[in-house]
Amino acid sequence: MAKLILSMDGLVLKEIPLAKERTTIGRKPHNDIQIDNLAVSGEHAVIVTILNDSFLEDLGSTNGTVVNGNPIKKHFLQHNDVIELGKYKLKFIGEAAQAASGSGDKSDFERTMVLRPSALRQSNEAPRSSPGASRAAAVQQAASAAVAGIADPRDATRTVPPAPQAASAPRQAGQPLGAIQLLSGANAGKELELTKPLTTLGKPGVQVAVLTRRPQGYFITHVEGAARPNVNGQQIGPAPHALKDHDVIELAGVKMEFFLKA
């Protein structure tokens, strides 16, 4: 399990395991990590942890949030990243798999990738012809986890390769494969199979959510944006929301239907 090490002036104060999907940081006592210092806003930042990935987001704090010396709004945390809040520091200690996965560019939401039209299939497209083709399609899909391109592929600015843990994992025995079909936008009618443990959807800076595949089924969790996604016309809560067959998701101005494949 990933954790944070809180320190001030080089003195370690405590260790905080990231056991929750949302870990709030701020001066007010209701925060998961309370830092009673005037340089820290009442609700300063939040860390969203999904599977092995942790995302840090500044919540409009007065003095801002700094990671490794750089001010950030949203940031994908990597092993040994140092979050600076005034005189306090929070060192992120990832799991061994994260530490060995390589550093690369640490830009905001580094693993938020673009869904290209080539990664989508028309719902009436013929089945893939071979296991090799299936694997190739899975790799292409892993390289294009859904974000800005769902609304308009031109919104995308860059694509980054997937992390090792983002690769497709075997389904639980008897668990049907989930998929989404776009109901609006430029790619309406297209379909994306949810073969990966985690798929990011939405538009950075507007609204972002993740779909996770677990033994219990598929769940949607809000990550970024003032408003949470809607499922069947109702806004989801802060906790992961279980998806049912034919649920309609509204996210970043796009409607899509979640369904289970036979």
Side-chain angles (χ1 to χ4, degrees):
M1 179 185 300
K3 64 181 179 180
L4 298 171
I5 299 177
L6 176 64
S7 65
M8 184 181 69
D9 297 330
L11 177 65
V12 173
L13 302 178
K14 63 178 175 178
E15 295 186 2
I16 305 107
L18 294 175
K20 299 173 61 178
E21 296 211 16
R22 288 179 64 86
T23 302
T24 57
I25 306 169
R27 192 177 69 254
K28 294 182 179 179
H30 67 262
N31 288 282
D32 299 304
I33 302 175
Q34 183 192 11
I35 301 177
D36 191 8
N37 184 278
L38 291 178
V40 179
S41 296
E43 296 175 349
H44 197 104
V46 63
I47 296 175
V48 178
T49 300
I50 307 294
L51 298 177
N52 292 328
D53 291 332
S54 293
F55 302 88
L56 171 68
E57 179 178 2
D58 182 86
L59 297 177
S61 63
T62 301
N63 295 316
T65 302
V66 173
V67 177
N68 302 330
N70 299 310
I72 62 94
K73 291 296 182 183
K74 295 170 291 291
H75 179 80
F76 173 76
L77 288 169
Q78 297 192 69
H79 182 65
N80 283 335
D81 276 353
V82 177
I83 305 166
E84 300 176 43
L85 305 171
K87 294 182 179 180
Y88 290 83
K89 293 184 178 181
L90 286 163
K91 186 174 183 179
F92 176 77
I93 305 298
E95 297 186 32
Q98 290 177 306
S101 62
S103 55
D105 178 18
K106 296 184 179 180
S107 302
D108 291 350
F109 274 96
E110 176 174 29
R111 296 193 193 172
T112 297
M113 298 171 245
V114 175
L115 177 63
R116 294 180 176 176
S118 60
L120 295 165
R121 301 191 299 114
Q122 291 285 359
S123 57
N124 59 356
E125 185 179 340
R128 288 166 289 188
S129 57
S130 70
S134 176
R135 287 192 295 271
V139 170
Q140 171 64 24
Q141 184 172 311
S144 50
V147 178
I150 268 198
D152 184 345
R154 293 171 295 181
D155 291 335
T157 57
R158 66 191 183 93
T159 304
V160 296
Q165 62 264 38
S168 300
R171 277 185 285 160
Q172 297 290 324
Q175 185 186 51
L177 177 65
I180 56 172
Q181 184 176 38
L182 305 183
L183 304 178
S184 65
N187 292 315
K190 301 293 179 66
E191 178 186 313
L192 172 68
E193 291 184 348
L194 303 173
T195 59
K196 298 189 291 91
L198 183 150
T199 301
T200 309
L201 300 171
K203 185 184 294 184
V206 179
Q207 196 176 37
V208 176
V210 292
L211 294 182
T212 54
R213 177 163 55 87
R214 308 179 183 183
Q216 305 94 326
Y218 287 85
F219 292 77
I220 182 170
T221 305
H222 175 69
V223 171
E224 176 191 357
R228 301 188 186 101
N230 287 344
V231 175
N232 299 328
Q234 299 292 322
Q235 190 176 88
I236 67 172
H241 179 89
L243 290 171
K244 299 178 181 178
D245 197 18
H246 300 300
D247 276 352
V248 175
I249 302 167
E250 296 178 57
L251 176 66
V254 177
K255 285 188 177 182
M256 59 197 82
E257 180 184 1
F258 169 82
F259 64 96
L260 298 172
K261 306 189 78 170

